[in-house]
Amino acid sequence: MTRTFRTTLAAAAGLALLLTGCSTDSAEDSTSPTGTSAAGSGQSPEYTGMLPERPSDGDPVSCTYTPDGDSAREVTPPAATDVPAAGIAEATMTTSAGPIGLLLDRAAAPCTVNSFVSLAEQGYFDGTPCHRLVTSPGLQVLQCGDPTGTGTGGPGYGFDTEYPENVYKTGDSQLRQPVVYPRGTIAMANTGQPGSNGSQFFLVYADSQLPPTYTVFGTVDEAGLAVIEEVAAGGDDGSMAAGGGAPNTPVQIESVTVAS
């Protein structure tokens, strides 16, 4: 089977934060990753304002990573077959502000975790900034994953959104309704177009309201959240027209290591 995967005015204004900024991370049509469930199949969950139930562990899947512009750094796309769809991958993001522990959920987003782990192992994130912070009520996130630090960079390939979007039927009106992305969530940025996930991700340090169209692929540990909250307390420079800006306390990713 195939796996494809208002809240406040402040949250709406900050939404552009989560959209990558140019063709290097923008969408081109691509074949959906494959796995155990499909967007557009089955019955959409009842609207509750909360994220739907995450998928259970499943069998390995195949993914599609479609070439998409130039890469911000030279990397090789990840292996696309026999991708694990069960278990948790533990990672540590060492930053200039302190260590941030990540628990990557292979069952919820196998193709996303597969890509993130591949990029981490190739050193793609090393020496890169977390380029944007939003501290608005209803949207409180730190965004990272672009080596250019501009919000426009990507890995030279794109792939489809997974959980929670793939739980809903294609075109479901609920995909335009906000849900709570809980404190501690790790999710992917995208342009709003199919296949536009790349390398940029955001760390949610307080409950935030967004449409369920951003792939949730893990959680941040409490120690890491404390690091992000300290950065957030310093505010941002307000340089982003859609809301937020570069953190006043710079955050540089020194390395991302994944436990074997």
Side-chain angles (χ1 to χ4, degrees):
M1 299 176 66
T2 302
R3 180 189 288 268
T4 62
F5 311 96
R6 183 140 38 147
T7 96
T8 65
L9 290 176
L15 181 60
L17 161 74
L18 310 178
L19 308 182
T20 54
C22 79
S23 60
T24 57
D25 231 10
S26 65
E28 294 179 5
D29 289 339
S30 64
T31 304
S32 301
T34 60
T36 58
S37 63
S41 66
Q43 185 175 2
S44 293
E46 181 181 354
Y47 179 71
T48 63
M50 307 300 290
L51 286 170
E53 184 177 354
R54 62 174 286 282
S56 301
D57 286 354
D59 296 329
V61 302
S62 295
C63 305
T64 297
Y65 302 104
T66 302
D68 187 14
D70 296 328
S71 179
R73 282 187 170 175
E74 185 175 351
V75 288
T76 302
T81 59
D82 202 29
V83 173
I88 299 294
E90 296 186 20
T92 299
M93 189 164 74
T94 301
T95 79
S96 57
I100 299 174
L102 310 176
L103 299 175
L104 309 178
D105 189 343
R106 295 188 185 276
C111 297
T112 302
V113 173
N114 186 51
S115 174
F116 185 91
V117 169
S118 173
L119 292 173
E121 290 177 341
Q122 294 181 73
Y124 179 88
F125 300 116
D126 296 358
T128 66
C130 290
H131 61 275
R132 198 164 189 186
L133 174 71
V134 175
T135 60
S136 303
L139 185 63
Q140 299 185 54
V141 300
L142 178 68
Q143 187 167 339
C144 315
D146 173 13
T148 73
T150 64
T152 65
Y157 61 84
F159 55 98
D160 282 343
T161 304
E162 297 181 276
Y163 169 80
E165 184 172 354
N166 60 356
V167 174
Y168 297 83
K169 296 172 66 175
T170 300
D172 194 319
S173 61
Q174 291 187 37
L175 290 170
R176 299 188 295 274
Q177 298 294 322
V179 296
V180 175
Y181 278 58
R183 175 180 181 272
T185 298
I186 313 168
M188 291 295 294
N190 65 58
T191 67
Q193 299 297 315
S196 63
N197 293 278
S199 61
Q200 294 187 44
F201 60 95
F202 57 96
L203 309 170
V204 181
Y205 63 90
D207 289 0
S208 296
Q209 298 172 334
L210 292 164
T213 53
Y214 299 94
T215 298
V216 171
F217 68 103
T219 57
V220 183
D221 68 8
E222 283 297 327
L225 283 168
V227 170
I228 300 168
E229 288 164 351
E230 185 172 351
V231 170
D236 64 82
D237 67 3
S239 60
M240 307 294 184
N248 290 330
T249 302
V251 183
Q252 191 85 352
I253 298 175
E254 298 170 356
S255 66
V256 179
T257 56
V258 181
S260 57

